Amino acid sequence: MHREFYIGGQWVAPHSDRSHVVLDPSTGAPFATVSLADAQDVDRAVAAARAAWPDWAATSPRARRAVLTRIAEVYEARLEDLAQTISREVGAPIDLARKLHAPSGLRHTRDFIAALDDFPFEFPLRADTPNDMILRDPIGVAAMITPWNRPLNQIALKVIPALATGCTMVLKPSEIAPISAMMFAQILHDAGVPPGVFNLINGDGAGAGTALSAHPDVDMISFTGSTRAGIAISKNAAETVKRVQLELGGKGANIVFADADPDAVARGVQQCFKNSGQACNAPSRMLVERAAYDAAVDTARLIATTLTSGPADAPGNHIGPVVGRAQYDKVRRLIQSGLDQGARLIAGGPERPATLPEGGFYIQPTVFADVTPDMDIAKTEIFGPVLSVLPFDTEDQAIQIANDTPYGLTNFVQSRDREKCRRVARQLRSGMVELNGTTRAAGTPFGGMGHSGNGREAGIWGLEAYCEIKAISGW
């Protein structure tokens, strides 16, 4: 049982008697219970953050950097515990949890420490205006609502820059995967974060999430999750005119030209299925130039049929279950819609893998060919191990298909013609574009446009998100 909240520097009993049962996605069996905060719990957490803000905002960047360094040290000592917990609550295979999930929070912490070293909080407007000073002040109390698919990654992207800039905060992690967040709270406590600077409550979106987004003593809300929830949060926050930063869904296009490198298709398939397809920046639409289309379909079929599904505690490079019953039902429903709308199924399908535990939420790695842009599987963020392969004939047509979506998070381009890659990348409507399998460097801004959100996280952009700009004349 995990029924306590972290408020004001200590673990406290909740006011609410509502609770949520956390399931093990590999078996469908319960393994923990957390309390769900009500409005009084939210008020307590926000009040603690508000009371702690003046002193924390007055600390020097150097002092805050020292706190972040201690957080990194304590976090590193807990890596295996964090990996085991995330594997259990999210269903991530243990090797993936150790390699991707658990280290992400540590990596972001270290990256923000480096960014903080080059982030001035006071600077003149220009060299010729020494008496016009620009200040970056902490925005105040930030409320943070994070998702379940990569829990520590999103938590660190919000909490660490808020601490670095002098903000105080209330974190509400997803009730589907809350245990790793509670471990994170203990890490901050053990690292000496002052009481009230960081607070954690568990709760659902309709209850705690709504209360936080509308709270008059919250100056900013940072949300990562679905576009539907992001719209609701924006409406709730409008009455108090607080800053709203949203990192939402995606429907990334992976444009594979005929002159792409030989590994491009295989790389794209594997990236789509990473984390069981539960990633907002997954390349879930593969657009292939007609001359290379048949070969790409064959490669996608081979990769998908070679991959296996299995429980989270099994070692190896397999695909784990999706996170829960609602996600399982949604993904299978969309796979069926692909069949009903005439896409050609070349791997996987809606049937559960026969050899795996009956209670687990397992989806076969699934690939559809001959998909058209009007099909549901080409338009909807599936958030599961499902890839749609579409042909195109010209560069302009590829760009048009890629941009034919309300989302705009991450797109991908594969071609050995670097000028073509750059030309296409400039025309893609997305916050990020990855060329030829190149991953983003530390400090690269993460975020999108349109229905994918409106903010940027990581690096100096992540720090700026938690600052207000003040101009002082006559300094």
Side-chain angles (χ1 to χ4, degrees):
M1 303 286 283
H2 299 270
R3 292 188 173 274
E4 295 179 316
F5 300 153
Y6 186 76
I7 298 176
Q10 58 186 332
W11 293 97
V12 301
H15 174 268
S16 169
D17 60 1
R18 296 176 61 230
S19 62
H20 174 80
V21 176
V22 182
L23 301 181
D24 180 340
S26 295
T27 64
F31 83 94
T33 301
V34 294
S35 294
L36 298 179
D38 64 9
Q40 291 189 49
D41 293 313
V42 171
D43 286 344
R44 282 195 299 167
V46 173
R50 178 59 62 189
W53 182 67
D55 287 345
W56 184 245
T59 59
S60 68
R62 183 176 181 179
R64 297 195 294 267
R65 186 191 192 282
V67 172
L68 298 188
T69 299
R70 291 197 298 272
I71 291 171
E73 292 169 352
V74 179
Y75 190 115
E76 187 170 19
R78 300 293 304 276
L79 277 172
E80 180 60 21
D81 292 341
L82 292 166
Q84 293 285 346
T85 298
I86 293 173
S87 179
R88 185 87 183 274
E89 68 183 357
V90 176
I94 185 60
D95 288 353
L96 183 68
R98 289 176 176 141
K99 181 180 179 181
L100 175 72
H101 284 273
S104 63
L106 179 60
R107 185 180 69 252
H108 289 313
T109 301
R110 289 172 172 164
D111 289 347
F112 278 121
I113 291 171
L116 185 60
D117 290 339
D118 296 322
F119 190 77
F121 287 89
E122 298 181 5
F123 53 95
L125 175 64
R126 293 188 306 272
D128 64 333
T129 59
N131 296 324
D132 288 271
M133 190 63 67
I134 306 299
L135 273 59
R136 287 170 165 145
D137 286 346
I139 196 169
V141 175
M144 302 162 177
I145 301 176
T146 54
W148 47 260
N149 61 314
R150 288 190 62 187
L152 289 177
N153 184 76
Q154 276 93 352
I155 288 171
L157 279 172
K158 300 181 190 303
V159 170
I160 301 302
L163 290 172
T165 52
C167 295
T168 59
M169 65 216 71
V170 178
L171 169 67
K172 189 207 81 65
S174 169
E175 70 276 19
I176 295 173
I179 310 305
S180 57
M182 299 175 76
M183 295 177 67
F184 184 84
Q186 188 62 47
I187 287 170
L188 267 58
H189 178 88
D190 294 346
V193 174
V197 171
F198 170 86
N199 305 274
L200 177 143
I201 56 173
N202 287 308
D204 55 17
T210 298
L212 278 172
S213 58
H215 203 289
D217 286 332
V218 169
D219 301 295
M220 171 188 178
I221 186 156
S222 179
F223 170 77
T224 299
S226 71
T227 300
R228 175 198 56 77
I231 292 170
I233 284 169
S234 297
K235 291 178 179 178
N236 291 333
E239 288 290 332
T240 50
V241 200
K242 57 172 57 70
R243 183 181 300 177
V244 179
Q245 176 169 286
L246 303 175
E247 200 280 282
L248 307 176
K251 192 66 180 175
N254 185 8
I255 302 174
V256 182
F257 287 97
D259 63 350
D261 69 86
D263 298 326
V265 172
R267 184 172 62 240
V269 175
Q270 291 164 343
Q271 189 170 1
C272 177
F273 292 155
K274 192 174 186 178
N275 206 40
S276 301
Q278 297 170 129
C280 54
N281 59 341
S284 55
R285 293 182 295 155
M286 182 176 286
L287 281 52
V288 184
E289 192 169 4
R290 187 81 62 180
Y293 182 75
D294 290 341
V297 168
D298 289 340
T299 298
R301 177 193 296 112
L302 176 63
I303 297 297
T305 54
T306 301
L307 290 171
T308 59
S309 300
D313 60 358
N317 187 29
H318 58 281
I319 291 179
V322 295
V323 77
R325 170 63 62 180
Q327 197 64 22
Y328 175 77
D329 290 342
K330 173 192 174 185
V331 175
R332 293 179 70 233
R333 183 172 64 252
L334 282 163
I335 292 173
Q336 186 60 51
S337 79
L339 294 170
D340 295 342
Q341 293 175 8
R344 178 162 59 99
L345 181 69
I346 61 172
E351 301 82 11
R352 61 175 291 110
T355 59
L356 295 175
E358 187 62 35
F361 305 115
Y362 297 98
I363 301 286
Q364 297 183 72
T366 298
V367 181
F368 284 101
D370 303 344
V371 176
T372 56
D374 60 314
M375 293 180 180
D376 288 344
I377 55 174
K379 297 188 298 181
T380 304
E381 184 184 36
I382 299 174
F383 228 63
V386 181
L387 173 66
S388 298
V389 186
L390 300 80
F392 70 87
D393 293 300
T394 67
E395 183 177 312
D396 287 344
Q397 185 187 25
I399 294 166
Q400 186 275 323
I401 295 172
N403 286 339
D404 185 20
T405 173
Y407 295 106
L409 188 58
T410 312
N411 285 308
F412 307 77
V413 183
Q414 319 296 329
S415 169
R416 282 179 281 197
D417 182 340
R418 294 198 63 81
E419 185 51 44
K420 183 197 297 183
C421 287
R422 293 165 182 158
R423 185 170 63 242
V424 172
R426 289 188 182 98
Q427 297 178 74
L428 292 174
R429 292 282 297 167
S430 57
M432 298 170 287
V433 181
E434 297 183 15
L435 308 179
N436 296 317
T438 303
T439 57
R440 295 183 307 277
T444 300
F446 187 100
M449 57 184 70
H451 284 204
S452 291
N454 58 16
R456 294 296 182 271
E457 296 183 315
I460 60 171
W461 293 270
L463 296 172
E464 286 178 343
Y466 294 91
C467 293
E468 292 281 18
I469 298 297
K470 178 187 292 180
I472 301 179
S473 301
W475 184 261

